[in-house]
Amino acid sequence: MFNALVVNKDEDSGKTSAAVEQISLDQLPEGEVTVAVEYSTVNYKDGLCIGPGGGLVRKYPHVPGIDFAGTVEASSDDRYKPGDKVVLTGWRVGEAHWGGYSQKANVRADWLVPLPEGLNSRQAMAVGTAGFTAMLAVMALEDHGLEPGHGPVLVTGAAGGVGSVATAILANLGYEVAGVTGRPETADYLNSLGATQIVAREEINETTKRPLESESWAGCVDAVGGAMLARVLGQMKYGASVAAVGLAGGAALPATVIPFLLRGVNLLGIDSVMQPYDNRVRAWQRIASDLPMDKLEAMIQPAALSDLPQLGADILKGQVKGRVVVDVNA
């Protein structure tokens, strides 16, 4: 028997509840690889799955946790053997398939990536899905021409998980980073990650009737969406790109096509869930080389399985800063 955070749903009331329970290996879903999980983390999707489900969870009881890192215990696939260090993000694990909030997990071999040299499992989950997504965004911006010296790169939702890692990576690569936050108390934190400019959320959170404004940003990693993304599109430099990674500010986009037609702005969609294997490996290798570990350490908030019900509620309210690292064996 081992510990897992199990979410149950009362069929009469429709309400869900989450608590640490003891489960057995034969209760886990089928998979080619059994992993002894060491660390997981907390993302916005995790908050939904711990709580009301957000339409992501279709079957209860359920074990959330959309990412994890650990050691292979058993494998029927030749690509992995006992003792291998692995990391998993995406593939709807933690949503449709039981996830990382458990001391053991059964998953498909195709969903795993070898842990890159230079990262341990704790660091990998300090990165987690949020940091992996941030790296994909930076790679996409670079693939579309972004280089240091072109001007400041805007990061919206900068104090969150994706924003924190994106800020640290971009600063480490030599970019001038402008961090957007609605929490003034996080300014020192963002400066410590390498942000050279703090932009108050109120400055760019409202729509404007002008389809174009002054050319301010050489690139943008946007975790907010909604009115803020619409506003940012009109502030991009000619030929610049925005990597869209989230919708904390809403899914609607009250924008015009003018920035695309008159300035050649690119809007790049970043999906981390179904990302092909080769690009996953590339992103994790870039994380190991381009994310300063001292900056990563400064983002970490440690937690145990028993802390997850509260942390799930907190992240849905925008009250989590940096990266929560869950020691599932604590």
Side-chain angles (χ1 to χ4, degrees), residues 87-144:
V87 59
L88 183 146
T89 63
W91 303 113
R92 298 209 66 209
V93 171
E95 304 171 41
H97 188 93
W98 281 17
Y101 292 163
S102 172
Q103 291 176 311
K104 296 184 190 295
N106 271 356
V107 294
R108 289 179 56 183
D110 286 343
W111 297 343
L112 296 168
V113 174
L115 191 67
E117 287 191 22
L119 282 183
N120 59 38
S121 57
R122 179 175 177 272
Q123 291 167 331
M125 282 301 99
V127 175
T129 293
F132 174 67
T133 304
M135 189 73 249
L136 291 174
V138 172
M139 287 163 45
L141 292 175
E142 291 177 338
D143 290 345
H144 283 77

Side-chain angles (χ1 to χ4, degrees), residues 56 90 201 232 301:
L56 300 175
R201 180 169 59 195
V232 167
Q301 174 185 338

Side-chain angles (χ1 to χ4, degrees), residues 152 212-218 234-240 262-263:
L212 294 176
E213 299 181 70
S214 297
E215 296 183 43
S216 300
W217 317 115
Q235 298 178 350
M236 302 305 295
K237 292 190 173 189
Y238 187 89
L262 298 188
R263 283 196 186 151

